[in-house]
Amino acid sequence: MMIIFVLWYFVAVKASKVAKWILVVFFVLGVLGTVRSLEGTPMSILVFTLGYYLAQGIAVFFLFRPDSIAWFNGEITDISDVFE
């Protein structure tokens, strides 16, 4: 789990494209692994798991917005530029 936090740090603070794509790969592998193991899963765990992947999917989606792409390309250096 610590690896994910470190990757998000590099994405959010250092604008690392490599970390972004590693996160995307981890997300896809996690979803595929979860889909394969859903049979027989208790409903309470299923709800939390689906909520987790929904939140993570939204976060990964935001990595590909135009302002995020500008951040990764170094075009945005000040966070206040995003909110104008």
Side-chain angles (χ1 to χ4, degrees):
M1 193 62 148
M2 188 65 176
I3 293 171
I4 299 297
F5 289 126
V6 171
L7 286 171
W8 276 114
Y9 168 79
F10 280 105
V11 166
V13 177
K14 303 294 184 181
S16 171
K17 291 180 184 179
V18 173
K20 174 178 112 171
W21 285 106
I22 292 172
L23 274 172
V24 170
V25 168
F26 279 177
F27 171 70
V28 170
L29 291 176
V31 168
L32 293 176
T34 300
V35 168
R36 292 182 63 202
S37 66
L38 286 180
E39 186 176 328
T41 303
M43 185 57 71
S44 60
I45 294 175
L46 181 65
V47 168
F48 285 115
T49 302
L50 293 177
Y52 169 77
Y53 281 113
L54 178 64
Q56 190 176 12
I58 292 169
V60 168
F61 168 77
F62 280 119
L63 293 176
F64 295 95
R65 288 180 35 134
D67 56 342
S68 297
I69 293 170
W71 165 256
F72 287 112
N73 290 334
E75 298 166 8
I76 297 176
T77 57
D78 186 16
I79 193 69
S80 63
D81 294 343
V82 175
F83 297 107
E84 291 181 354

